[in-house]
Amino acid sequence: MKVLNHISTLYRVPPGGDQGFVDAISDAALAWDGEQIVYAGPQAGLPPALASAERLDAGGRCVIPGLIDCHTHLCFGGWRGDEFAARLAGASYQDIQAAGGGINSTVARTRAASAAELAAKAGLVLADMARLGVTTVEAKSGYGLDQASEIKQLEVYRRLNDSQPLDIVPTFLGAHLVPVEYRDRRTDYLDLLCQSLIPEVAARDLARFCDVFIEDNAFTLAEGRQILETAKAHGLGLKIHADQLSAGGGAGLAAELGAVSAEHLEYASAADIQAMAEAGTVAVSLPLASMYLREPFLPARQWIEAGARVAVATDFNPGSAPSYHLHLAMTLACIHQQMTPAEVLKAATSHAARAVALHESHGSLLPGYRADFAIIDAPDINHWLYHFRPNACIATIKAGRAVFDGGL
Amino acid sequence: MKVLNHISTLYRVPPGGDQGFVDAISDAALAWDGEQIVYAGPQAGLPPALASAERLDAGGRCVIPGLIDCHTHLCFGGWRGDEFAARLAGASYQDIQAAGGGINSTVARTRAASAAELAAKAGLVLADMARLGVTTVEAKSGYGLDQASEIKQLEVYRRLNDSQPLDIVPTFLGAHLVPVEYRDRRTDYLDLLCQSLIPEVAARDLARFCDVFIEDNAFTLAEGRQILETAKAHGLGLKIHADQLSAGGGAGLAAELGAVSAEHLEYASAADIQAMAEAGTVAVSLPLASMYLREPFLPARQWIEAGARVAVATDFNPGSAPSYHLHLAMTLACIHQQMTPAEVLKAATSHAARAVALHESHGSLLPGYRADFAIIDAPDINHWLYHFRPNACIATIKAGRAVFDGGL
C-alpha cells in the first residue's frame, strides 16, 4: 500500500461526462494497493486506514492518469529521414517513390528485419514513451503485408508485452495498403487477409483489433467492409483509418459496424460525424501527422458539439509522423484543434482508453482502476500544455510501480 | 588538449557560402585546446601531434556547432498558462486584457519580482537549454518598462553571464511597448528611453544591442528610427521586431540603419526583403510564435532566393511563444518554412551567431573558433530534424567543457 501526498491538482478524468470534464481535485492524495487505486481525492479525506501506508510526496505538482497513445505504428524497419530532406529540397512524392522510397521502402526493411531487431528498436521507443508519462500504447502491424511478416510484427508486440512494463494493445493492419506484388491482383490480397491472416491472428489471439485504411490509394469502402466483417466474425474489435485526405465514407462505416474508433477524419462529412457520435465510436485525432504533412487538423469543435468523443494520439510512424512525443500532439490539439487543456487531457487518457476498449480499467484515477499515472512538473494542465518543454513529466507509475523516476 | 573521435558526420558550418552550405565531413574528428578548436576534419587527417591528447568517443553520432538561440525574452515574472486556456475556451484578447492579462500582467509581475528571483527562474531555463545543445542565448529586456525594472532585467543577464556557463547576449528592449502609465504621454516615454535609459545602458555596458517593436500597437516607424538612431549614437548595435502582423516598413528601416538583424518579418515587402539581403541584415524567423499564434510562417524560400541570411530562434516568452525548445523551432522551420535540414542548421548556428555579431568566434566548428558543440544521437541532421524526440542531444560542450552529459 502506498500513498502519494501533496498533489497540487489531481485529475481523476472519469470516463463519463463531457469532453472537458476531468474532475480536478486540489490539494489531493492518491493511494494504491499493488496494481489498483484505492483512494483518489482530497488530502484531507484520506482514510485513516491508509496512515500506515508508505508515503511519497508529489512536491506540489499535478498528477494525471497515465497517458494512452491509442494510435501508433510502433514496429517498423529503417527510417525515412533522407526522404523528408529530399521533399524539403523540392523532390516530389513521385520522385521519392521512383527512387524506392515511401511506404514500400518501410515494408521492404520491415520484412528484412528479424523479430529481435524489431523488438529491440521498438523497446527503445517504449522506454522513451514511458519517460513522457505514457503507460499504454496501441500498436499496429501493417508494414509486413505478407503472412510471415504481419505475424512477425504482431509477435514482436506479444514479446514486448512480456518483456517491458507498458501495456501494448496490438492491432492487425494487414489492410494498410495493397503490397506491390499484388498490385495487379488485389482480390488475391483480400483473400490472403480474409482467409488466412485474419483467421490466424484471431486464433492465436495476436491482436485485439483489426484496422483498415480506407482511402483512394488504399482500400475501397466495399473492400473495407468485407475485411472488417470478416474480422468481426472472428471476434476482433474494429478500427478504421478514414477520411484523411477526402470524405470517403469511412467514418460512417465505422459507426455502422460498431467500430471502437475511427482515425484521422479530417474530412469526415457532417452526417458521418453525427453517426459516429451516436454510435459511440471514438474519433482519434492525429495532430502530428497534420503538422508533418501540412494538412488540416481535425475540426474538433464540430465533433465535440455533435456529442462525439475525441481522442488524441501520435500516429508514430517513419513517414508521416516520425515522432512519439504525445505532449507535442496534445499541445498541437490545443492550438490547432482549439480544444481546451482539459478536453485534451481526456482525449489522451479516458477517451484514448475507450478507443482501445480499456476505459473500464485504464485512463482514469478512480478506485478499482489500474494505478497508472504520471507526475507532471506543473501546477496544473493549463501550464503544462502551454509551456512546451522537452519533457515535463517527472515520474511515471505503471500498475503501481515506477517505470520512470526523473527526480521525484 | 582533447580529441573527439568516431563522429559519423561533423558539420563545420562556415559563416560564408549559401544558406545550405554546412560543410559536412564524414568519419570525422574534432580537437580542442582549452576553449578553442584546433582541428575539425576527417578522422584520417588528425595531426600526429594530437595523438597524446585525451580521447573521447562520439559513438558514431553526429556533431554540430553549439546552437545559438538568437532571440529570447528570457527574463520575466510569472506565466500566462491560464490565459492560454481561456483563449482556447473562447475568451477574446480583449476579455483577457480586461481581466488584467496579456503582456501588462507580465510587466507587473516582472516589476514585482526581485533580481534574485528572476535570475533563479531564468537559470533553470538556461540549464534546460544547455541539455538541448544550446550554448549561446540572446536575451532581451522589455518587461520592465521603467528605469529601475529595465535595468534590473539587464543586471539579471549580467549576473547569469557570471554564474552559469552559457553565453548570454543582452539586448535592451525598453521599446517593447508603451507602458500603461504613459499611454496618454508617449513622448515622455520616448524621452525616458532616449535621454535616460539608453545612455545608462550604454554607459554601464549592460546590453550589446537595442531592439524596437515596430508594429501598430507598439512603436511607429518614426519613433523606431529616433530610438535606434539614439542607440547607435551611444554605440549599441541594432535589432528590430518588424512586420509581424502587417508590412510596416520595419525590415527596410533595419537595412537602412545597418541593423544586425530584424525579427518575425512574416509580412515584409519584397522591396524590404531585397534591402535586407543587400545590407546583410539577418532575417530571424520565429516559428514557435507562428505556431502558438496560428499565424503565417516566414516565407523563407523568398528570403533565401533574394540572397538574405535566415536565422531560426525560439522567441521564448510567456505569451506568444512559451517554449524554449529550439529543436522544435528547427523542425517547424523545415516543415512550414520549407527549409532543408542543412539550411535550418546554419540558421541556428552560424547565421544565428551573425544575428548577434558573434559569427567570427561562435557558430562554426573551425580552428580558432570557440569549442562550443553538441553531440546529437542521430547519424545526420536529416534524421535528427525529422524524428522529433523529447531531446536527441546527448552532450553539450561549452568553451571546451561539458555542460551537459546525457550518457556520452
Side-chain angles (χ1 to χ4, degrees), chain A residues 20 41 59 155 228 255 312 376:
Chain A
E155 285 174 342
L228 292 169
V312 171
I376 302 293

Side-chain angles (χ1 to χ4, degrees), chain A residues 71-80 83 87 93 97 100-115 118 121-122 125 138-157 171-182 189 192-193 197 201 211-213 218-219 241 244 264 286 289 293 314-323, chain B residues 386:
Chain A
H71 181 136
T72 83
H73 302 255
L74 177 64
C75 169
F76 53 84
W79 290 96
R80 281 150 57 196
E83 191 178 303
R87 276 207 312 271
Y93 196 72
Q97 290 276 34
I103 194 169
N104 288 316
S105 76
T106 298
V107 171
R109 290 159 106 171
T110 305
R111 287 176 177 174
S114 71
L118 293 170
K121 182 178 173 184
V125 171
E138 189 261 10
K140 302 177 196 294
S141 69
Y143 290 121
L145 306 186
D146 63 27
Q147 185 87 19
S149 305
E150 284 293 309
I151 298 296
K152 176 175 69 180
Q153 281 193 280
L154 294 173
E155 285 174 342
V156 164
Y157 296 143
T171 293
F172 172 61
L173 179 59
H176 195 183
L177 82 169
V178 175
V180 176
E181 65 272 23
Y182 284 90
Y189 191 64
L192 176 70
L193 292 175
L197 266 164
V201 167
D211 193 349
V212 175
F213 227 92
F219 294 87
H241 278 69
Q244 183 183 2
H264 285 294
L286 304 168
L293 297 174
T314 62
D315 194 17
F316 175 56
N317 74 68
S320 60
S323 177
Chain B
Y386 136 93

Side-chain angles (χ1 to χ4, degrees), chain B residues 43-399:
Chain B
Q43 181 88 55
L46 195 69
L50 293 172
S52 61
E54 183 183 342
R55 292 173 159 267
L56 303 166
D57 191 317
R61 300 187 182 92
C62 73
V63 169
I64 60 172
L67 298 173
I68 295 175
D69 194 343
C70 68
H71 182 137
T72 83
H73 301 256
L74 177 64
C75 168
F76 53 85
W79 290 95
R80 280 149 57 196
D82 287 345
E83 190 177 304
F84 173 77
R87 277 207 310 271
L88 296 169
S92 71
Y93 196 72
Q94 283 73 17
D95 296 338
I96 288 164
Q97 291 276 33
I103 194 169
N104 289 315
S105 76
T106 298
V107 171
R109 289 160 106 170
T110 305
R111 288 177 177 173
S114 71
E117 286 164 352
L118 293 170
K121 181 177 174 185
L124 292 174
V125 171
L126 289 167
D128 226 18
M129 285 176 156
R131 299 170 64 89
L132 292 169
V134 174
T135 50
T136 298
V137 179
E138 188 260 11
K140 301 177 197 296
S141 69
Y143 290 122
L145 305 186
D146 63 29
Q147 186 86 21
S149 305
E150 283 293 309
I151 298 296
K152 176 175 67 181
Q153 280 192 281
L154 294 172
E155 286 174 341
V156 164
Y157 297 143
R158 173 163 287 175
R159 179 193 296 216
L160 289 168
N161 249 330
D162 294 339
S163 63
Q164 60 77 53
L166 305 202
D167 282 325
I168 312 290
V169 181
T171 293
F172 172 61
L173 179 59
H176 194 183
L177 83 168
V178 176
V180 176
E181 65 272 24
Y182 284 91
R183 201 168 273 166
D184 301 321
R185 47 189 187 103
R186 312 174 56 90
T187 53
D188 289 353
Y189 190 64
L190 286 174
D191 288 348
L192 175 70
L193 291 175
C194 294
Q195 290 167 25
S196 181
L197 267 165
I198 290 172
E200 178 174 351
V201 167
R204 293 181 54 201
D205 199 20
L206 283 168
R208 274 193 235 170
F209 300 100
C210 178
D211 193 349
V212 175
F213 228 92
I214 296 181
E215 208 66 65
D216 276 352
N217 57 357
F219 293 87
T220 66
L221 207 54
E223 290 166 343
R225 178 187 292 275
Q226 181 195 338
I227 295 161
L228 292 169
E229 285 180 343
T230 304
K232 193 171 184 176
H234 281 85
L236 293 170
L238 309 184
K239 290 174 164 282
I240 304 184
H241 277 69
D243 304 314
Q244 182 183 3
L245 304 171
S246 59
L253 182 65
E256 180 195 333
L257 296 178
V260 289
S261 70
E263 344 273 303
H264 285 294
L265 300 167
E266 291 84 349
Y267 289 91
S269 70
D272 283 356
I273 292 173
Q274 199 56 52
M276 273 186 51
E278 284 165 17
T281 299
V282 178
V284 179
S285 64
L286 304 168
L288 289 168
S290 298
M291 178 190 87
Y292 273 102
L293 296 175
R294 292 195 292 152
E295 290 282 341
F297 290 81
L298 187 81
R301 297 250 61 83
Q302 195 182 344
W303 287 83
I304 292 168
E305 279 154 27
R309 295 187 183 93
V310 176
V312 170
T314 62
D315 194 16
F316 175 56
N317 74 69
S320 60
S323 177
Y324 47 79
H325 203 315
L326 189 51
H327 295 189
L328 179 58
M330 294 172 77
T331 289
L332 290 172
C334 290
I335 296 168
H336 291 285
Q337 299 181 182
Q338 292 171 274
M339 295 170 71
T340 65
E343 289 173 340
V344 166
L345 177 63
K346 193 144 182 170
T349 55
S350 183
H351 284 359
R354 192 181 292 267
V356 290
L358 289 177
H359 54 288
E360 292 180 354
S361 55
H362 293 61
S364 303
L365 294 177
L366 297 169
Y369 272 73
R370 293 273 291 241
D372 291 359
F373 58 93
I375 304 175
I376 302 294
D377 184 26
D380 58 40
I381 57 172
N382 291 350
H383 185 80
W384 173 41
L385 292 178
Y386 136 93
H387 176 32
F388 182 74
R389 294 163 58 183
N391 186 15
C393 177
I394 285 286
T396 307
I397 284 75
K398 174 66 185 172

